[in-house]
Amino acid sequence: MTDARTALAEAAERFTFSPTARLDAELLLAHALGIERNALLLDLTRPVPESFWPLVERRARQEPVAYITGTRGFWTLDLMVGPGALVPRVDSETLVDAALRHFRGRAPATLLDLGTGPGTLLLALLDEWRETKGLGVDRSPQALRYAVANAAACGLADRARFVCGDWATGLAGPFDCIVTNPPYIGTTEPLSPEVRDYEPGTALFAGRDGLDDYRLLAPELRRLLAPGGAAVVEIGHEQAGAVTALLADQGFAVTLHRDLGGRPRALLAH
């Protein structure tokens, strides 16, 4: 029987399209074994179950690892995720960090996450702000099913509520903090098959220039934000100027936050 070290090398060779081929293989094998990745790495001589190889085939077709394993780590949480929900990205942790820095020492009473997906930003912040109550809005029933399940699994169901809706339609507010990771990819921009063929297009694309949803959101943020509050908005790394202008037109002062790679990733408006 093939041991883990050999199987990981063979699987990684199949994943040359991925910049994290070895990590992908490790996550899949740990999932097949029902153990944590760290435990796997401590013993690479263990035998590999046959259930690993169908997972390798799925990944070789560029299906996201998170969809195969059913989970993705984000901030301090492990979130359930699957088809119909945008896979949480580490770059989006920039928004969590920006919000925590802004409200340091004075957690907001109310939090709104527009386009919450599987509850990514909302739950990460509620886990930090233990007295805050939050509302997550998404137009996808599939994504919201993951969000509700994640809130329960993370012990946050008593402070997290979710509704199916189109951005801020029907919301009254005000909210002390608003976070949002809207679609911001132009419809003609090239994407990897991993994203284009599997993740929901409604969570990715926002018109030819990628700014359609920002144009809708900017006045809604102004309407819904409480005095003294702050909104944190994710952006594409080339959109800082355009989105800052949209927010400034609504009377916001805007601060740029960069991700770990040094790229523009979030705007904090207050």
Side-chain angles (χ1 to χ4, degrees):
M1 181 177 287
T2 305
D3 66 13
R5 180 177 286 104
T6 302
L8 289 172
E10 291 179 7
E13 288 181 1
R14 301 280 308 279
F15 306 157
T16 54
F17 58 86
S18 172
T20 57
R22 173 73 182 203
L23 174 61
D24 296 353
E26 291 169 358
L27 291 171
L28 293 178
L29 182 51
H31 178 69
L33 288 165
I35 61 175
E36 296 291 327
R37 173 172 167 260
N38 288 342
L40 165 65
L41 297 179
L42 290 173
D43 180 12
L44 294 178
T45 64
R46 69 178 76 232
V48 173
E50 285 302 314
S51 59
F52 173 60
W53 299 108
L55 306 184
V56 171
E57 292 300 322
R58 290 172 65 182
R59 182 60 182 147
R61 294 193 291 271
Q62 301 199 36
E63 184 175 350
V65 171
Y67 282 5
I68 300 172
T69 64
T71 62
R72 170 59 62 89
F74 182 82
W75 198 249
T76 59
L77 305 176
D78 286 321
L79 300 176
M80 290 175 277
V81 68
L86 189 72
V87 176
R89 267 84 162 164
V90 67
D91 287 344
S92 297
E93 294 184 356
T94 308
L95 280 75
V96 178
D97 182 67
L100 292 175
R101 287 174 182 271
H102 181 79
F103 287 97
R104 183 171 291 157
R106 53 179 186 96
T110 54
L111 171 65
L112 172 65
D113 182 4
L114 292 171
T116 191
T120 305
L121 298 173
L122 184 83
L123 298 177
L125 285 167
L126 289 181
D127 195 50
E128 296 283 346
W129 294 327
R130 294 308 178 106
E131 303 301 322
T132 303
K133 293 186 178 180
L135 173 65
V137 180
D138 204 286
R139 66 180 57 141
S140 167
Q142 288 175 287
L144 288 176
R145 282 194 287 272
Y146 285 107
V148 171
N150 283 324
C154 295
L156 298 169
D158 60 329
R159 293 188 289 120
R161 187 166 64 90
F162 298 97
V163 297
C164 192
D166 186 14
W167 289 130
T169 302
L171 298 183
F175 296 90
D176 299 308
C177 181
I178 303 174
V179 290
T180 181
N181 177 14
Y184 55 73
I185 298 172
T187 50
T188 60
E189 292 182 45
L191 287 175
S192 68
E194 177 174 354
V195 177
R196 183 192 65 228
D197 296 346
Y198 290 95
E199 296 194 69
T202 54
L204 298 169
F205 299 107
R208 289 187 61 81
D209 62 0
L211 299 175
D212 282 3
D213 287 291
Y214 296 119
R215 296 185 180 101
L216 293 171
L217 282 168
E220 296 284 46
L221 296 178
R222 177 68 176 177
R223 178 178 69 85
L224 291 172
L225 197 62
V232 192
V233 181
E234 181 160 334
I235 57 170
H237 67 274
E238 296 181 345
Q239 295 174 322
V243 181
T244 295
L246 289 170
L247 294 170
D249 284 346
Q250 297 297 322
F252 286 114
V254 181
T255 305
L256 173 66
H257 291 259
R258 298 178 181 271
D259 61 26
L260 293 177
R263 296 163 298 189
R265 184 58 58 192
L267 298 175
L268 188 141
H270 60 92

